[in-house]
Amino acid sequence: MSIFKSDILQGKVAIITGGGSGINLGIAKALVDHGASVALISRTQSKLDAAAEQLSPDGSQAKGFAADVRDVDALKGAIEKSVEAFGGLDILVNGAAGNFLAPAAALSPNGFKSVMDIDTLGTFNASRLCFEHLQKRGGGVILNVSATQAFMPTPMQVHPGAAKAAVDKITEDLALEWGPFNIRVVGIAPGGVEGTEGMKRLMPPGMDEKMRAALPLGRFTTTEEIGQVALFLVSPAAGYITGTTLVVDGASAMPLSGVFWTAMRQWGG
Ligand code: HXC
């Protein structure tokens, strides 16, 4: 289901880091379905090839270029190849992220650093490397994938929480500095997304149904829903939105919403 014309992004080229799976693949699909060509960048070429094949069986609208966003030279190389393959760049989606549950007291310095390197430095470095390419087209859009951990204190999530809070700040500051180049910088902060690596890693075993029941809408979101919101944010319909991170979490991160809902439902039968 889409409220947009299927050619709204015709002729546009997007780079999507972390685009081989999950939320970012959902965003890639929404963009391809509306006319864009997408270059997917993440660590494993075989995973990227499978994702590109799924998005665009003839290869005309999707290609994968392997690079770890922590390796700036490799990232630069993959960005250059993407721009060459599709003839320019209009949209960058910074989706590459790392995460695992770990209590702060047991988290090693390198564990914290690894997530900061992927999420925060990866976002800045990809944005910085894409800036001149976006500028060449007279402007464009950068979409940073954040998370509710950025503003909601979350147990065992100090590393991604800090990393995504920094990503949100990058969204604000780049919007300010790059607005004059007609580059919008926006963010999306999803809550839990069904069927993703993040959900697998972050859901305490056996808690799925209890967690769903505690959510205001009684369910997590989907990659399709996040894809549609991302499509809106990168489309001309959102032309005056910049420096903002849109929370798409079904009100799950409202303070104590889960606790209140559980109590009210028990009280109301
Ligand atoms: C404690 C851990 C750990 C765990 C890794 N580390 N997993 N510490 N509990 N479960 C520590 C390691 O001990 C090591 O520190 C350091 O992190 C680096 O780990 P490596 O395995 O050597 O690194 P690497 O192979 O590069 O892995 C990167 C990773 C990993 C982020 C740590 O989890 C990963 O690659 N994940 C795949 C991507 C991913 O997580 N996708 C889901 C994103 S979910 P030491 O000290 O031992 O050297 C998501 C949605 C929600 O983003 C976002 C919320 C903000």
Side-chain angles (χ1 to χ4, degrees):
M1 193 264 301
S2 173
I3 61 165
F4 292 99
K5 284 189 183 162
S6 60
D7 63 352
I8 192 167
L9 295 181
Q10 198 70 45
K12 300 291 183 191
V13 179
I15 286 177
I16 305 180
T17 69
S21 62
I23 297 173
N24 305 312
L25 181 56
I27 294 174
K29 182 166 172 18
L31 269 54
V32 166
D33 286 350
H34 291 78
S37 300
V38 299
L40 311 174
I41 297 178
S42 70
R43 285 181 291 186
T44 314
Q45 188 67 49
S46 56
K47 197 170 152 186
L48 292 176
D49 290 343
E53 162 89 27
Q54 182 190 326
L55 292 169
S56 173
D58 70 359
S60 61
Q61 270 184 274
K63 295 184 196 306
F65 300 99
D68 188 325
V69 296
R70 291 172 287 189
D71 178 341
V72 180
D73 290 338
L75 178 61
K76 187 172 192 304
I79 289 170
E80 298 299 333
K81 281 185 208 154
S82 304
V83 170
E84 203 181 304
F86 290 117
L89 182 68
D90 306 282
I91 298 163
L92 166 67
V93 178
N94 283 307
N99 203 355
F100 50 82
L101 288 174
L107 181 63
S108 74
N110 193 40
F112 187 91
K113 180 178 180 298
S114 297
V115 173
M116 292 296 290
D117 281 348
I118 299 168
D119 295 25
T120 308
L121 277 75
T123 293
F124 176 74
N125 290 333
S127 302
R128 176 67 190 83
L129 290 166
C130 287
F131 173 73
E132 67 182 76
H133 297 295
L134 297 171
Q135 213 188 345
K136 274 188 198 149
R137 299 273 262 210
V141 188
I142 297 174
L143 172 63
N144 293 329
V145 181
S146 185
T148 53
Q149 288 93 322
F151 58 88
M152 181 179 67
T154 311
M156 294 189 263
Q157 290 282 271
V158 66
H159 41 317
K164 295 295 194 182
V167 167
D168 291 354
K169 191 64 173 62
I170 291 172
T171 300
E172 293 178 354
D173 285 13
L174 294 190
L176 193 72
E177 289 201 30
W178 294 354
F181 298 94
N182 196 31
I183 296 171
R184 292 191 297 111
V185 188
V186 290
I188 185 169
V193 186
E194 289 289 2
T196 59
E197 178 70 21
M199 193 70 113
K200 230 186 298 167
R201 284 170 176 261
L202 305 183
M203 179 67 71
M207 288 298 287
D208 298 37
E209 284 316 314
K210 282 190 182 135
M211 295 276 258
R212 281 189 195 90
L215 293 170
L217 293 175
R219 65 176 182 88
F220 293 106
T221 187
T222 61
T223 55
E224 290 77 15
E225 281 180 329
I226 298 301
Q228 290 300 308
V229 179
L231 172 65
F232 163 67
L233 287 172
V234 303
S235 78
Y240 205 60
I241 299 179
T242 191
T244 300
T245 296
L246 187 60
V247 178
V248 187
D249 73 332
S252 60
M254 289 173 78
L256 296 179
S257 66
V259 176
F260 277 126
W261 269 95
T262 305
M264 293 292 274
R265 283 174 180 178
Q266 281 170 0
W267 175 70

